[in-house]
Amino acid sequence: GQQLNQSPQSMFIQEGEDVSMNCTSSSIFNTWLWYKQDPGEGPVLLIALYKAGELTSNGRLTAQFGITRKDSFLNISASIPSDVGIYFCAGQLTDGGSQGNLIFGKGTKLSVKP
Amino acid sequence: NAGVTQTPKFRILKIGQSMTLQCTQDMNHNYMYWYRQDPGMGLKLIYYSVGAGITDKGEVPNGYNVSRSTTEDFPLRLELAAPSQTSVYFCASNSGGDYEQYFGPGTRLTVT
């Protein structure tokens, strides 16, 4: 099936650091979504992107829809302890027949540096 | 609005047993989805529905069944549970195929 390559797989942060993660694919997407999942909870939508080149912010989070429509990145500025969790990218393909079905990356796990 | 609710939160099944995972949304969304999430993996689509009376298979439908008799409810049925179905199951919904999906809190299922 279709794949999204999300990186890094995991990262450690210190409070105040900026964080960057990305998703890439060989397929073209209509939509990119970024979700955050806390332990024992369902994913919560952070940012939705609908146009190539679009740059959207939500507080300290900024995400971009790549110009090629095959990638997206998420930045978190000045990280705080509650940013810890798993971040997923998800893309909707352009084929029109998927009824809005999303393809998910495997996630980036953000942890606090010991 | 409660959003998307799922029951139960946890369940342990023996091999060969069956059960139904419940999902309800109160946002009047037409589209509903069932995913499974395995450790270290993203979410895999099991089944989806674009409206009452309409369901279709996703990427990993084997061993599962669904029904959609109302807009609000989208139960997932496991027949003859197998250890490979040990996973966390998430239900999601949205108002249209090109809009953001909203997720429930999940059901953690263990089959032993």
Side-chain angles (χ1 to χ4, degrees):
Chain A
Q2 301 290 342
Q3 276 200 323
L4 285 184
N5 300 309
Q6 186 171 351
S7 65
Q9 196 171 9
S10 62
M11 57 194 309
F12 289 88
I13 58 171
Q14 265 184 341
E15 189 170 349
E17 285 182 339
D18 294 344
V19 172
S20 185
M21 61 192 78
N22 67 80
C23 270
T24 61
S25 176
S26 56
S27 301
I28 294 174
F29 288 88
N30 270 338
T31 302
W32 284 97
L33 305 174
W34 285 93
Y35 287 88
K36 183 187 179 216
Q37 185 178 28
D38 291 324
E41 303 290 332
V44 174
L45 182 68
L46 298 173
I47 292 178
L49 302 158
Y50 294 103
K51 282 170 51 177
E54 180 181 355
L55 186 73
T56 297
S57 293
N58 178 6
R60 295 177 295 105
L61 278 61
T62 302
Q64 185 158 29
F65 192 144
I67 288 289
T68 64
R69 299 169 70 187
K70 296 182 179 181
D71 61 351
S72 177
F73 72 75
L74 175 71
N75 286 343
I76 306 172
S77 63
S79 58
I80 60 178
S82 62
D83 289 334
V84 163
I86 302 178
Y87 292 78
F88 290 99
C89 62
Q92 183 192 37
L93 292 168
T94 60
D95 64 10
S98 58
Q99 302 287 2
N101 296 345
L102 296 178
I103 310 296
F104 282 83
K106 293 184 179 180
T108 294
K109 185 176 181 180
L110 226 57
S111 305
V112 176
K113 271 183 189 171
Chain B
N1 284 354
V4 180
T5 56
Q6 293 182 240
T7 57
K9 199 159 178 63
F10 303 95
R11 184 71 187 268
I12 298 174
L13 280 182
K14 294 193 184 305
I15 295 171
Q17 286 185 320
S18 60
M19 77 164 293
T20 299
L21 282 68
Q22 302 292 344
C23 175
T24 300
Q25 53 89 12
D26 62 359
M27 298 174 281
N28 202 31
H29 284 169
N30 286 324
Y31 288 62
M32 296 187 74
Y33 309 83
W34 273 107
Y35 294 90
R36 60 176 288 170
Q37 183 180 34
D38 299 313
M41 305 295 288
L43 291 98
K44 301 286 188 185
L45 184 65
I46 305 171
Y47 270 95
Y48 66 97
S49 169
V50 301
I54 306 169
T55 63
D56 210 343
K57 295 177 181 178
E59 185 182 354
V60 290
N62 291 345
Y64 307 95
N65 275 302
V66 293
S67 59
R68 185 92 183 272
S69 56
T70 67
T71 299
E72 295 79 19
D73 301 305
F74 190 39
L76 177 72
R77 179 85 178 159
L78 277 74
E79 306 279 5
L80 297 175
S84 60
Q85 294 177 304
T86 293
S87 189
V88 182
Y89 292 84
F90 289 101
C91 180
S93 72
N94 65 3
S95 58
D98 57 349
Y99 292 97
E100 306 97 16
Q101 293 182 19
Y102 294 89
F103 285 81
T107 293
R108 184 175 296 274
L109 176 68
T110 302
V111 182
T112 61

